[in-house]
Amino acid sequence: MRPDILNPIFAESQTLDGVGPKMAKPLEKLGLTRIKDIAYHLPERFVSRRAIADLGEGAEGEQVIIALTATEHRAPYNPGRGPYRVMAQDDAGNICALTYFGRASYTAKKQLPVGEKRWVAGRLDRYGDMLQIVHPDHVEETSAAHLGRMNEPVYALSEGLTQQRIGALVAQSIERLPDLPEWIEPGQFDAVNWPNWRDAMHLAHKDMHKEARDRLAYDELLANSLALLMVKAEGRRRKGQALKGDGALRAKLSLPFEMTGAQKRSVSEIEGDLQQEAPMLRLLQGDVGAGKTVVALEAMLIANEAGKQAALLAPTEILARQHFETLRTMAAPTGVEVALLTGRAKGKEREGLLMGLLQGTIDILVGTHAIFQDSVAYKDLGLVVIDEQHRFGVAQRLALAGKGKRAPHTLAMTATPIPRSLTLAQYGEMDVSRLDELPPGRQAIDTLVVSQDRAEDVIAGVQRHLATGQQAYWVCPMVREANGSFQASDIAAAEARYAELAERFGDDVVMVHGQLKPEVKDANMERFASGQAKLLVATTVIEVGVDVPSSTLMVIEQAERFGLAQLHQLRGRVGRGSEKSRCLLLRGSELSETAQKRLALMRETQDGFRIAEEDLELRGGGEVLGTRQSGDAAFRIADLDQVQQMLPIAHADARLLIERDGGLTSERGEAARILLYLFERDWGVQLLRGG
Ligand code: ADP
Ligand code: MG
């Protein structure tokens, strides 16, 4: 049971003033469903602004606050194309444009009536000869409204949220935080001069307070280590069952290919684990396309050979279906029964499945989390395979483990290449098998680094490429601004590039980016996926969420502005068909040494592990841990540097605490329980009670 002291902050976000069902959606997108989630939504950074009286005082790129009077509204000639501009002047008569893209123009019309003075906060920019502010962060009627905005937090947003709204919700949330007992060892606490938890939460929203941030990150790492150590201890207590396969089923498989060395090695590592009575806890790491599925199948067949059932858990319904189809086809010659269970199965169908599981007529079950509902019972579950492990908590794994008479073996699979030094953080003390070798016949992607100046030649190359009937991607960088919108120069550059390509290729080119309406985006995407359009201009990785094997060329503009992990992911979109694929990285003229090294590395290797390791070396990583906002990452508070610096310490501290007070009954132990609940690692605590 959750400690009472935490109940108020585990209340739904909707209990805050100003949050109704409409606001709840965008909050949920960010994972902010409860008060404590909002309080823990720490600023990504802070904007520091300067109040200026005269536009001439401001430097290009500077964040300023200035009084401006609108003189004229200029709608675009062609609605929907080009920005909406409000011309304005300062008290000295200097001119500046306030520029709005898309729907933001409605706000401009309301906030900036001609002839009236307004206090505008935003980033001063240049557009041709003119000064401009794109999407001002704030427009106010009085200067007083800007007090306190000289140093303003910038939060991650989702559609439907603004900085002001989220700021107000954060303020309400941190007011509700209770004082919590201290879980950090006093000696250590004094040495680093950290604030207590509640103060740290307040300070972290005020400025880039290093001590506060470090403390909160440490808390998260400590909670994680504590919980993982508890799971490990529990694993040692619970007995599993040794599974010895005789190879009979595996011999019947008729794979259309020879397994790679890495696959064979992984299978034998798994086989070795399965033969032990102690439950296996192994992670199978391998880039997309490395061939994890067949390794999983071999493992499941070993369980079947030993007379046990196996279950494969997929993160989404679609993936579950895909796995089911693949496995059923591959396993057909073996005669094992493969079944699919998702939340959609109802009535008779579901009953039949449940019966089959209980009676043992189903050998391999594939499904979503529906496979560990209470109503699902297995005859004898020997192995659980979890695809894309990072999307599931260890909690679910344990729930599933609870199904077997004895603890089943667990094989987790992930496509996220994580440097060795970080696997501990992400996966605890799991054993790791790596598929560091792609199946043969996979065409290597030719990667070239080309000067951005040669874009014209590149376009001509694209034209020749399209003439062969193949498709191509053209990726433009897009960086988010303080106010959550995109950098004006990026939008302009992407639009200009699209216009240029459209002039050349007409209907053959479509564009997708975040500013488009979802229907338009989907329609464009569909045109490309179906082959009607040949060239897709896109702005981010995520938006290119398709698998188009006949797309064999990728051009990435200003490649130096992308992170290595991102470039690797992007490039993975080509090289999926039988044709040779190419990736052109266009680079600017003045590159830092690091940027040069990164591009050189991309040219040199396609090995996700190597890229991840070197990314870590080159820049302290950043993206290696994956998309922090998406909720996939292990940590929401701790960044990569903090993980590297503090994880070993937190892990040692957690171990010490558990050695001294395994039941968490001392005063500090009690505080640690609160910490575990706070970070939703309470499965650790539940184990305590069970054991
Ligand atoms: P992952 O799940 O690791 O992304 P998959 O298991 O889906 O990769 O495999 C990707 C593709 O490669 C599949 O079509 C699979 O049949 C094929 N494949 C797997 N192993 C080999 C191999 N050793 N040789 C050739 N093709 C392979
Ligand atoms: Mg897969």
Side-chain angles (χ1 to χ4, degrees):
M1 268 254 290
R2 184 192 309 131
D4 290 344
I5 193 168
L6 293 178
N7 285 342
I9 57 170
F10 270 75
E12 301 279 322
S13 308
Q14 292 205 32
T15 60
L16 290 172
D17 291 340
V19 186
K22 191 159 156 242
M23 182 65 73
K25 274 228 175 82
L27 288 175
E28 205 180 303
K29 260 209 181 132
L30 292 168
L32 311 181
T33 52
R34 285 147 311 179
I35 309 270
K36 62 120 194 148
D37 302 324
I38 298 180
Y40 264 118
H41 192 54
L42 303 185
E44 289 189 320
R45 57 206 165 82
F46 287 80
V47 213
S48 61
R49 299 198 176 91
R50 193 161 67 98
I52 55 174
D54 185 315
L55 281 163
E57 289 174 35
E60 220 175 292
E62 193 181 5
Q63 297 280 355
V64 298
I65 297 175
I66 185 165
L68 295 171
T69 305
T71 54
E72 186 195 352
H73 280 225
R74 291 187 189 161
Y77 294 115
N78 202 340
R81 296 285 229 145
Y84 184 93
R85 288 210 166 82
V86 180
M87 305 309 295
Q89 59 184 32
D90 65 12
D91 291 348
N94 301 305
I95 306 285
C96 164
L98 304 172
T99 305
Y100 294 85
F101 290 91
R103 276 175 288 176
S105 63
Y106 298 117
T107 329
K109 284 178 198 160
K110 264 193 290 176
Q111 289 184 334
L112 293 155
V114 171
E116 289 185 33
K117 188 190 273 195
R118 291 288 183 265
W119 293 81
V120 176
R123 182 169 174 273
L124 209 52
D125 233 332
R126 188 165 286 281
Y127 178 74
D129 298 338
M130 199 166 42
L131 283 173
Q132 74 168 353
I133 296 176
V134 180
H135 289 194
D137 296 333
H138 305 281
V139 176
E140 303 283 0
E141 293 186 22
T142 66
S143 62
H146 283 300
L147 287 175
R149 286 190 177 150
M150 301 311 231
N151 182 40
E152 193 173 51
V154 179
Y155 295 99
L157 299 177
S158 60
E159 185 141 358
L161 274 179
T162 59
Q163 292 296 340
Q164 286 94 316
R165 288 312 268 280
I166 194 81
L169 297 179
V170 165
Q172 278 189 62
S173 301
I174 55 178
E175 280 320 310
R176 297 203 195 174
L177 299 178
D179 276 319
L180 297 179
E182 187 55 73
W183 44 78
I184 300 176
E185 192 89 50
Q188 173 185 359
F189 187 73
D190 295 340
V192 283
N193 199 19
W194 282 346
N196 69 38
W197 176 75
R198 192 165 172 275
D199 289 347
M201 292 293 279
H202 280 260
L203 290 167
H205 289 281
K206 296 225 161 62
D207 57 44
M208 271 296 165
H209 198 290
K210 181 166 176 2
E211 284 81 12
R213 287 242 171 190
D214 279 353
R215 195 241 135 93
L216 298 177
Y218 173 88
D219 288 349
E220 186 178 36
L221 299 173
L222 182 66
N224 194 59
S225 287
L226 272 173
L228 288 171
L229 287 169
M230 287 174 168
V231 171
K232 194 155 193 222
E234 165 68 12
R236 273 197 226 102
R237 263 200 302 278
R238 265 189 88 183
K239 267 213 189 141
Q241 44 192 354
L243 305 183
K244 295 201 177 74
D246 58 7
L249 293 173
R250 281 171 284 165
K252 287 189 195 154
L253 273 185
S254 59
L255 296 175
F257 49 75
E258 166 94 3
M259 296 240 272
T260 63
Q263 284 171 320
K264 286 181 192 158
R265 193 184 61 235
S266 299
V267 171
S268 78
E269 283 165 355
I270 292 166
E271 185 162 22
D273 284 358
L274 293 177
Q275 285 170 3
Q276 310 301 315
E277 199 169 72
M280 167 173 80
L281 191 49
R282 183 171 284 278
L283 179 71
L284 178 64
Q285 260 188 313
D287 246 333
V288 170
K292 295 184 287 294
T293 317
V294 65
V295 174
L297 176 62
E298 294 257 339
M300 293 194 286
L301 289 177
I302 295 175
N304 294 159
E305 285 166 7
K308 311 291 175 195
Q309 293 164 301
L312 186 148
L313 174 64
T316 65
E317 178 113 14
I318 295 176
L319 277 175
R321 263 169 217 289
Q322 259 177 32
H323 272 309
F324 169 65
E325 296 297 343
T326 313
L327 291 172
R328 191 173 52 167
T329 312
M330 277 205 282
T334 65
V336 303
E337 185 68 25
V338 184
L340 173 72
L341 177 65
T342 70
R344 282 204 207 141
K346 295 265 146 48
K348 281 244 158 55
E349 186 199 349
R350 188 180 150 83
E351 275 168 35
L353 281 169
L354 295 186
M355 192 61 82
L357 280 174
L358 196 56
Q359 293 179 339
T361 52
I362 294 173
D363 302 299
I364 294 178
L365 181 71
V366 180
T368 55
H369 57 276
I371 69 179
F372 45 61
Q373 281 161 356
D374 282 341
S375 51
V376 181
Y378 296 79
K379 176 159 182 264
D380 198 353
L381 182 61
L383 169 68
V384 177
V385 180
I386 308 177
D387 198 14
E388 287 310 332
Q389 147 92 5
H390 56 289
R391 303 211 191 175
F392 293 102
V394 179
Q396 280 98 325
R397 188 179 71 70
L398 290 171
L400 200 54
K403 301 259 169 224
K405 284 188 213 115
R406 292 180 156 217
H409 298 276
T410 304
L411 175 67
M413 308 198 287
T414 178
T416 313
I418 295 165
R420 278 185 205 281
S421 58
L422 294 179
T423 43
L424 173 70
Q426 198 90 315
Y427 297 107
E429 294 172 334
M430 288 178 126
D431 299 307
V432 177
S433 294
R434 286 183 152 198
L435 293 182
D436 46 12
E437 178 187 355
L438 284 181
R442 217 36 78 70
Q443 299 249 20
I445 301 166
D446 276 344
T447 302
L448 299 172
V449 180
V450 180
S451 164
Q452 186 83 41
D453 299 340
R454 293 185 48 207
E456 264 310 309
D457 297 340
V458 173
I459 294 177
V462 169
Q463 184 155 27
R464 286 191 298 275
H465 176 83
L466 298 185
T468 67
Q470 299 174 70
Q471 291 170 282
Y473 297 104
W474 189 293
V475 182
C476 304
M478 208 40 106
V479 174
R480 265 190 199 283
E481 271 285 27
N483 58 12
S485 66
F486 293 99
Q487 230 166 54
S489 50
D490 286 346
I491 300 180
E495 296 271 354
R497 181 65 75 202
Y498 171 66
E500 186 184 356
L501 293 168
E503 202 162 288
R504 189 90 156 230
F505 303 117
D507 280 352
D508 278 349
V509 48
V510 286
M511 186 172 190
V512 293
H513 60 71
Q515 308 289 84
L516 289 175
K517 286 204 187 97
E519 310 88 80
V520 178
K521 200 158 90 180
D522 290 351
N524 286 351
M525 211 60 245
E526 179 51 36
R527 271 180 61 77
F528 182 71
S530 67
Q532 277 171 284
K534 301 292 180 206
L535 178 62
L536 179 71
V537 181
T539 51
T540 58
V541 193
I542 303 98
E543 286 150 17
V544 198
V546 278
D547 185 15
V548 182
S550 65
S551 197
T552 48
L553 172 65
M554 172 167 286
V555 179
I556 304 178
E557 282 205 57
Q558 298 180 50
E560 70 274 11
R561 293 178 58 199
F562 291 87
L564 272 176
Q566 223 178 352
L567 287 175
H568 178 63
Q569 263 197 48
L570 272 171
R571 184 170 58 182
R573 301 280 159 200
V574 295
R576 294 177 167 226
S578 48
E579 296 291 328
K580 182 89 185 157
S581 286
R582 267 176 310 154
C583 178
L584 301 184
L585 303 174
L586 306 196
R587 47 157 285 182
S589 49
E590 283 163 42
L591 292 194
S592 68
E593 200 181 318
T594 316
Q596 286 180 25
K597 280 192 186 151
R598 279 161 52 196
L599 295 185
L601 182 68
M602 286 301 294
R603 203 175 45 206
E604 204 178 299
T605 184
Q606 244 169 279
D607 177 349
F609 290 115
R610 218 188 122 198
I611 292 176
E613 302 278 356
E614 304 220 1
D615 196 14
L616 190 63
E617 289 270 300
L618 283 175
R619 33 175 253 136
E623 282 154 87
V624 183
L625 280 186
T627 40
R628 242 210 289 182
Q629 250 71 51
S630 73
D632 282 358
F635 302 116
R636 297 183 67 163
I637 309 299
D639 67 22
L640 194 70
D641 282 341
Q642 289 170 321
V643 170
Q644 285 192 289
Q645 281 165 25
M646 295 190 292
L647 183 73
I649 304 170
H651 204 71
D653 292 346
R655 185 171 299 205
L656 203 65
L657 176 60
I658 295 211
E659 274 166 17
R660 280 199 206 138
D661 176 20
L664 298 185
T665 49
S666 65
E667 198 176 320
R668 223 160 65 72
E670 291 284 349
R673 277 175 194 250
I674 293 176
L675 172 72
L676 286 165
Y677 274 96
L678 190 60
F679 281 100
E680 292 169 68
R681 257 80 171 182
D682 43 302
W683 27 270
V685 184
Q686 280 159 17
L687 285 180
L688 275 184
R689 264 182 309 137

